[in-house]
């Protein structure tokens, strides 16, 4: 396969309702979509969602990384994908995605990488008259969707909870990190009942002592885990927190790279990984994280 062109789209997709948490109030989704086309006319699409408060990426850094670094390298090497088996495509695509070394304060150019990786896989598979289902057969018959309760007034949170309960969601993430976390989670438990799985996401809101205190206050309300209680930083602090509290710890902002994952495992600093394709650099690297 030889690539003919790529088009980058910077999108600003408004939300019907703002989503607030301790790190950001979001009223829209800013995504970068990559469209690649091969010389034979096959077209593939991929998307990256840069989040400055997670990986340090912005729409501007993603566009620069794609146009100045990733795309030129991919153009020179994409012809080699023609001889790669479908099963080996994810690793082969990952191998030709060579990042630039520009010093722009980014932890990892994962949103840019993910957008182009998915577009290349999509295009290559379409050229072979195959789909992602051929590349990654289903491992299960169903998936579980989570609802979300963002930071809002108690009245608004109750109304949103009732709507989510009404459509049958039975796993709910509650954004915490404010002054009334315990009252909010208690109200959500009363609204959803005992059978709904509740967990909280602090989005790096707490220092160590605050995290210990808040988690132990929330534990009796039956939360199944706490997501990213403290900022990305020394893993030893997260390991110490995990040893101190009774609720499992999920990492999100602390898990951006494969090196992050290995350090977290070595330090026994968490119980659960939050793996997201854009944040973690694409499908292949997300699969590696899942295996780890």
């Amino acid at each position: 396969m030889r690539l003919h062109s790529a088009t980058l789209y910077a999108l600003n997709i408004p939300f019907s309702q703002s989503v607030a948490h301790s790190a950001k109030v979001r009223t829209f989704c800013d995504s970068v979509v990559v469209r690649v086309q091969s010389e034979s006319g096959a077209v593939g699409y991929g998307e990256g969602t840069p989040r400055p408060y997670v990986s340090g990426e912005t729409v501007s850094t993603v566009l620069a990384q794609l146009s100045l670094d990733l795309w030129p390298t991919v153009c020179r090497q994409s012809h080699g994908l023609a001889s790669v088996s479908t099963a080996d495509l994810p690793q082969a695509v990952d191998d030709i995605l060579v990042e630039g070394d520009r010093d722009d304060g980014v932890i990892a150019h994962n949103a840019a990488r993910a957008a182009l990786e998915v577009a290349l896989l999509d295009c290559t598979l379409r050229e072979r008259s195959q789909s992602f289902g051929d590349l990654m057969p289903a491992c299960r018959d169903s998936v579980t969707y989570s609802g979300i309760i963002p930071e809002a007034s108690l009245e608004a949170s109750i109304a949103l909870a009732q709507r989510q309960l009404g459509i049958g969601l039975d796993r709910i993430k509650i954004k915490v990190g404010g002054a009334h976390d315990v009252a909010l989670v208690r109200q959500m438990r009363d609204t959803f009942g005992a059978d709904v799985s509740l967990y909280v996401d602090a989005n790096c809101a707490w220092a160590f002592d605050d995290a210990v205190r808040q988690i132990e206050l929330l534990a009796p309300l039956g939360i199944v885990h706490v997501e990213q209680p403290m900022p990305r930083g020394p893993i030893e602090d997260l390991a110490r927190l995990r040893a101190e509290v009774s609720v499992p710890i999920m990492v999100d902002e602390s898990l951006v790279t494969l090196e992050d994952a290995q350090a977290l495992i070595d330090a026994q600093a968490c119980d659960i990984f939050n793996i997201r394709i854009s944040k973690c650099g694409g499908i292949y690297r997300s699969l590696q994280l899942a295996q780890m």
Side-chain angles (χ1 to χ4, degrees):
M1 183 186 76
R2 290 189 179 275
L3 295 173
H4 173 267
S5 61
T7 308
L8 309 181
Y9 302 90
L11 306 182
N12 185 309
I13 307 170
F15 292 157
S16 59
Q17 177 175 332
S18 64
V19 178
H21 54 73
S22 62
K24 184 76 173 179
V25 177
R26 302 191 61 82
T27 58
F28 59 88
C29 178
D30 44 350
S31 298
V32 174
V33 170
V34 179
R35 177 189 186 274
V36 299
Q37 183 172 338
S38 70
E39 289 183 347
S40 66
V43 173
Y45 290 89
E47 181 182 10
T49 53
R51 297 292 176 261
Y53 51 89
V54 179
S55 67
E57 291 173 284
T58 65
V59 169
S60 294
T61 67
V62 169
L63 293 175
Q65 185 69 207
L66 285 167
S67 59
L68 301 177
D69 295 310
L70 291 174
W71 176 249
T73 304
V74 163
C75 272
R76 291 193 299 270
Q77 301 186 38
S78 62
H79 64 278
L81 297 177
S83 61
V84 176
S85 68
T86 296
D88 293 330
L89 266 180
Q91 182 173 356
V93 169
D94 186 78
D95 287 343
I96 65 174
L97 291 172
V98 179
E99 299 174 18
D101 57 359
R102 62 191 67 250
D103 183 13
D104 49 14
V106 172
I107 295 169
H109 291 280
N110 282 352
R113 186 183 195 90
L116 186 52
E117 180 221 46
V118 174
L120 289 172
L121 290 172
D122 189 23
C123 185
T124 307
L125 289 166
R126 288 177 186 275
E127 195 157 84
R128 300 178 181 192
S129 299
Q130 293 180 305
S131 73
F132 262 95
D134 298 307
L135 178 64
M136 297 173 59
C139 295
R140 59 183 65 191
D141 296 326
S142 63
V143 295
T144 300
Y145 283 90
S146 292
I148 184 171
I149 304 295
E151 289 186 2
S153 69
L154 191 57
E155 294 76 15
S157 297
I158 293 171
L160 185 57
Q162 291 171 338
R163 286 164 55 194
Q164 296 184 35
L165 189 61
I167 61 174
L169 293 175
D170 60 2
R171 183 174 178 81
I172 306 294
K173 174 192 287 195
I174 305 168
K175 294 290 188 177
V176 295
H180 308 291
D181 290 341
V182 176
L184 171 62
V185 176
R186 181 179 291 114
Q187 182 62 61
M188 292 300 99
R189 176 56 73 197
D190 291 344
T191 303
F192 283 105
D195 295 332
V196 171
S197 178
L198 299 182
Y199 64 105
V200 299
D201 182 4
N203 285 105
C204 310
W206 298 322
F208 178 85
D209 290 340
D210 294 330
V212 172
R213 180 173 59 255
Q214 290 297 98
I215 292 170
E216 290 307 321
L217 287 172
L218 293 169
L221 299 174
I223 56 172
V224 295
H225 62 259
V226 177
E227 184 173 347
Q228 199 64 41
M230 300 189 299
R232 177 184 174 92
I235 288 176
E236 295 75 19
D237 292 346
L238 198 56
R240 189 160 59 99
L241 176 66
R242 180 176 181 247
E244 188 82 15
V245 300
S246 59
V247 179
I249 302 296
M250 172 188 276
V251 288
D252 183 7
E253 287 89 340
S254 289
L255 177 71
V256 176
T257 67
L258 296 173
E259 292 76 18
D260 288 342
Q262 192 59 58
L264 288 161
I265 291 168
D266 291 344
Q268 298 184 19
C270 65
D271 301 278
I272 309 164
F273 283 176
N274 182 340
I275 302 172
R276 294 187 272 129
I277 290 173
S278 178
K279 178 193 73 167
C280 297
I283 289 174
Y284 180 69
R285 294 192 177 189
S286 294
L287 288 171
Q288 287 181 294
L289 289 172
Q291 291 165 357
M292 292 172 74

